[in-house]
Amino acid sequence: SLQATQFKSRCVSLGIVKACFENNELLEISNSAAAVAQEQALAALEPFEMPSQGEACVSLRQLGPQAVDVEGILFVRGGSAGNSVGSSGAADLADARRRGAPKVVPTASTRANLRSLALALTLDTPVLLQGDIGAGKTLLVQHLATLVPNRTLIQLQMAEQTDAKALLGAYTCTDVPGKFEYREGPLVRAVRTGSWVLIEDIDLAPIEVVSMLLPLLESGRLFVPGRGEEHKAANGFQLFATRRVLGTGRGTASVRTAATALDSLWTHVTVMPPTAAELEDIVRTRFPALVRAAGAMVSVFLQLGGIHAKPPSEAASVAEHGL
């Protein structure tokens, strides 16, 4: 039988987004109608010639103005049909910058990381981004939220002292003496309205917060114990989290914390840091006045931060020998 998630992945690979998706959500299609739906979607596409090697099989023009290309992964825009659509991932990066998005320089590693994140997003599961400090984990999610419009992103910073009440809400004083009112927390609001949530440094979350997140990751339901409420995640809700990993001579390793208990519930995305050459390109692009000093600045940065992407040959050698 054709499961819903398999059908969705197949639609993404075929580029059949216009017929199968609505506001980035898979339409529930029975197994018996799946084949018919695919045939109708293919028939609705404009005729096109077989592309040469390296060319796209389906253009964004054929998929309609609601389609947006994120490094080859197609999504439906949540905004109006009048929004401009780039013809490639690089064009969408430039378009997002013009619309006030985070200033992202489309280096090779950035585009590869963005594609990995977009692929993970098609699975409709919570996504955990892990990588070195400064690799750009937060920036990737912020940028993706601008490429898929009408997605409100709420960022929550974790610390060892973070209280679950700060996420769920609490009773607060009012101007009337002796009167209290309940103020909804940011996580409850996001679950109820279908927003995107980015939990930064999930590895620092205390056990109280981890216990609160467990049912949300497992079943898409958030419980508010103090009020006896249960909220089911609205359509469009998406949970992201970032986790720092420690760079070592043998690859990367994460520190075991309370949040490690949630590892099996995430779709993991490893964010590779930019190479030294890409860092220099970023400095030159973002700060033209520092062109001459870019090389020296990056050299000092790498020495102090220890952030360095292994060359492909070295990474392949490590994998081959199991080091």
Side-chain angles (χ1 to χ4, degrees), residues 158 167 187 199 202 205 208-218 221-222 239 262 265-266:
M158 289 293 102
L167 307 180
L187 183 58
I199 301 178
I202 188 69
E208 178 188 9
V209 173
V210 172
S211 300
M212 178 264 295
L213 292 175
L214 182 61
L216 182 60
L217 270 68
E218 283 184 328
R221 296 180 181 276
L222 181 65
L239 184 62
L262 304 176
L265 303 176
W266 301 98

Side-chain angles (χ1 to χ4, degrees), residues 16 32 44 46-48 66 86 97 108 152 174 207 245 274 276 288 314 320:
I16 312 173
S32 60
E46 298 178 12
F48 58 93
Q66 292 294 332
R97 289 201 300 273
T152 301
T174 65
I207 186 65
V245 296
E314 181 179 348
E320 180 180 355

Side-chain angles (χ1 to χ4, degrees), residues 145-146 148-155 189-190 193-198 236-238 240:
T146 65
V148 185
N150 274 12
R151 295 291 184 245
T152 301
L153 178 64
I154 298 176
Q155 296 180 225
R189 183 168 59 254
T193 60
S195 302
W196 283 9
V197 174
L198 171 61
F237 174 76
Q238 176 65 45
F240 300 91

Side-chain angles (χ1 to χ4, degrees), residues 141-315:
V141 178
Q142 292 173 337
H143 187 64
L144 184 60
T146 65
L147 294 180
V148 185
N150 274 12
R151 295 291 184 245
T152 301
L153 178 64
I154 298 176
Q155 296 180 225
L156 305 173
Q157 178 65 52
M158 289 293 102
E160 295 178 354
Q161 298 78 23
T162 301
D163 189 347
K165 294 180 181 179
L167 307 180
L168 298 177
Y171 286 93
T172 59
C173 298
T174 65
D175 296 335
V176 180
K179 183 179 180 180
F180 299 86
E181 67 177 8
Y182 179 77
R183 292 193 177 180
E184 190 176 63
L187 183 58
V188 174
R189 183 168 59 254
V191 169
R192 185 174 51 79
T193 60
S195 302
W196 283 9
V197 174
L198 171 61
I199 301 178
E200 300 188 60
D201 297 331
I202 188 69
D203 48 305
L204 299 180
I207 186 65
E208 178 188 9
V209 173
V210 172
S211 300
M212 178 264 295
L213 292 175
L214 182 61
L216 182 60
L217 270 68
E218 283 184 328
S219 60
R221 296 180 181 276
L222 181 65
F223 298 94
V224 185
R227 292 176 59 84
E229 296 177 351
E230 175 184 331
H231 298 275
K232 179 175 174 55
N235 290 336
F237 174 76
Q238 176 65 45
L239 184 62
F240 300 91
T242 65
R243 178 169 66 187
R244 298 170 294 179
V245 296
L246 304 177
T248 67
R250 300 165 63 90
T252 59
S254 58
V255 179
R256 293 189 63 84
T257 63
T260 306
L262 304 176
D263 276 4
S264 62
L265 303 176
W266 301 98
T267 294
H268 293 246
V269 174
T270 300
V271 178
M272 300 303 298
T275 63
E278 289 176 334
L279 287 173
E280 291 186 27
D281 183 45
I282 292 172
V283 173
R284 295 190 184 100
T285 303
R286 293 288 310 279
F287 309 101
L290 301 177
V291 169
R292 294 184 178 180
M297 292 177 63
V298 169
S299 177
V300 173
F301 173 73
L302 292 176
Q303 291 178 21
L304 295 177
I307 300 177
H308 179 70
K310 295 180 180 296
S313 58
E314 181 179 348

Side-chain angles (χ1 to χ4, degrees), residues 20-231:
C20 301
F21 292 85
E22 183 175 357
N23 293 329
N24 201 29
E25 293 295 322
L26 179 66
L27 299 179
E28 295 296 334
I29 299 178
S30 63
N31 294 339
S32 60
V36 176
Q38 292 184 56
E39 293 178 1
Q40 293 176 345
L42 288 173
L45 297 176
E46 298 178 12
F48 58 93
E49 298 179 357
M50 288 299 294
S52 58
Q53 185 175 6
E55 292 183 349
C57 293
V58 181
S59 69
L60 288 176
R61 180 179 61 84
Q62 292 169 322
L63 293 176
Q66 292 294 332
V68 59
D69 174 12
V70 181
E71 297 303 330
I73 312 302
L74 302 178
F75 295 93
V76 168
R77 289 176 176 265
S80 64
N83 291 339
S84 59
V85 179
S87 59
S88 66
D92 278 320
L93 288 175
D95 178 62
R97 289 201 300 273
R98 287 194 297 271
R99 291 186 279 111
K103 294 180 174 60
V104 175
V105 179
T107 62
S109 64
T110 297
R111 297 186 64 181
N113 290 331
L114 188 60
R115 176 179 172 82
S116 297
L117 179 57
L119 280 170
L121 187 60
T122 65
L123 300 178
D124 282 339
T125 59
V127 178
L128 176 66
L129 294 87
Q130 51 189 8
D132 290 332
I133 298 175
K137 302 180 291 294
T138 298
L139 185 62
L140 282 174
V141 178
Q142 292 173 337
H143 187 64
L144 184 60
T146 65
L147 294 180
V148 185
N150 274 12
R151 295 291 184 245
T152 301
L153 178 64
I154 298 176
Q155 296 180 225
L156 305 173
Q157 178 65 52
M158 289 293 102
E160 295 178 354
Q161 298 78 23
T162 301
D163 189 347
K165 294 180 181 179
L167 307 180
L168 298 177
Y171 286 93
T172 59
C173 298
T174 65
D175 296 335
V176 180
K179 183 179 180 180
F180 299 86
E181 67 177 8
Y182 179 77
R183 292 193 177 180
E184 190 176 63
L187 183 58
V188 174
R189 183 168 59 254
V191 169
R192 185 174 51 79
T193 60
S195 302
W196 283 9
V197 174
L198 171 61
I199 301 178
E200 300 188 60
D201 297 331
I202 188 69
D203 48 305
L204 299 180
I207 186 65
E208 178 188 9
V209 173
V210 172
S211 300
M212 178 264 295
L213 292 175
L214 182 61
L216 182 60
L217 270 68
E218 283 184 328
S219 60
R221 296 180 181 276
L222 181 65
F223 298 94
V224 185
R227 292 176 59 84
E229 296 177 351
E230 175 184 331
H231 298 275

